[in-house]
Amino acid sequence: MIRQETNLKSLTSLQIMQDSPVIPVIVIHDLAHAVPLARALVAGGIRMLEVTLRTPVALEAIERIANEVPEAIVGAGTVCNQVDAALATQAGASFAVSPGYTTSLGQYCRNAGLALLPGVSTASEIMRAMEDGYTELKFFPAVQSGGVAMLKALGGPFGKISFCPTGGITPQNAGEFLALNNVGCVGGSWLAPNELLLRGDFVRITELAQEAKVLNRSAL
Ligand code: 3PG
């Protein structure tokens, strides 16, 4: 397991993308859901978990998962600036995912040893992230930004970049994205829907993770 083999300083963006075909994008409204949700996803074979910094309990959710579910590798999503990255690190996040990219965020994460999947949706944003040494990138919002056709087009000039498309990905269209040779994994919120959390249906969440784990993926 990456967690046992490496520490925060050496988890790489590539390892984040290679761990499973899907990174769950998690929004926790009720702190009590954090640990059982993480356990349910891990039981289904998905342990690289992105908890978005979109709710008041997000940082505490990361902390609880980091402390109580050692099989999971928990990261922070919706990291928009250095303060978010610092707070996420303090809470125990092992990686960060950002919806967009700024050089100050990229440099902060590099200096802090925090693996970052920076978000991009245009050629110029890709070039900026590449200038700062990032070659594994989140493509966001994926479907709304042109989806599979856009990723194919970006593959011409940016053949060395691996993408994690996120935004509008579903179990139905994930395979089309994973079949692209410049896609390492996808991200999606469908693995942790709020209605299942509210019902406490963690068994179904484990099933969703099992189904996601066997989605076809291309070689990085
Ligand atoms: C997000 O950051 O909200 C992700 O893009 C998740 O999008 P989804 O809900 O379409 O999977």
Side-chain angles (χ1 to χ4, degrees):
M1 281 174 45
I2 289 171
R3 198 183 187 89
Q4 288 169 345
E5 289 166 1
T6 66
N7 57 27
L8 173 61
K9 295 275 177 210
S10 56
L11 181 64
T12 65
S13 307
L14 189 61
Q15 286 173 317
I16 297 167
M17 286 180 52
Q18 284 180 323
D19 207 57
S20 92
V22 185
I23 298 175
V25 176
I26 296 168
V27 181
I28 303 264
H29 294 282
D30 181 345
L31 192 54
H33 293 154
V35 166
L37 170 61
R39 288 193 177 129
L41 291 167
V42 167
I46 303 234
R47 61 185 182 148
M48 196 69 71
L49 314 180
E50 176 189 338
V51 176
T52 58
L53 302 185
R54 294 185 197 175
T55 63
V57 298
L59 287 167
E60 212 177 328
I62 289 170
E63 192 172 355
R64 284 208 188 170
I65 294 169
N67 288 336
E68 297 180 38
V69 193
E71 306 84 3
I73 302 173
V74 62
T78 321
V79 171
C80 292
N81 51 50
Q82 299 177 42
V83 173
D84 288 345
L87 291 171
T89 306
Q90 273 169 26
S94 294
F95 65 93
V97 183
S98 57
Y101 182 71
T102 65
T103 287
S104 62
L105 176 63
Q107 288 181 348
Y108 177 88
C109 289
R110 168 133 313 130
N111 292 339
L114 181 65
L116 172 68
L117 265 192
V120 296
S121 64
T122 67
S124 296
E125 290 161 3
I126 294 169
M127 288 165 62
R128 204 167 307 131
M130 284 172 71
E131 255 178 22
D132 293 347
Y134 288 96
T135 52
E136 284 79 36
L137 308 175
K138 164 172 161 163
F139 179 54
F140 175 80
V143 169
Q144 298 85 340
S145 301
V148 166
M150 179 69 163
L151 284 162
K152 281 185 184 166
L154 292 171
F158 303 115
K160 295 198 171 127
I161 301 296
S162 288
F163 293 98
C164 170
T166 305
I169 310 296
T170 64
Q172 289 71 40
N173 67 13
E176 293 168 47
F177 285 89
L178 290 165
L180 300 176
N181 60 15
N182 61 345
V183 167
C185 68
V186 299
S189 63
W190 83 84
L191 289 170
N194 201 37
E195 57 270 25
L196 291 184
L197 292 174
L198 288 173
R199 284 211 304 269
D201 193 349
F202 296 103
V203 171
R204 180 63 192 139
I205 288 174
T206 294
E207 287 171 2
L208 290 172
Q210 287 167 334
E211 288 159 17
K213 182 77 182 173
V214 296
L215 284 167
N216 286 329
R217 58 181 303 170
S218 59
L220 280 175

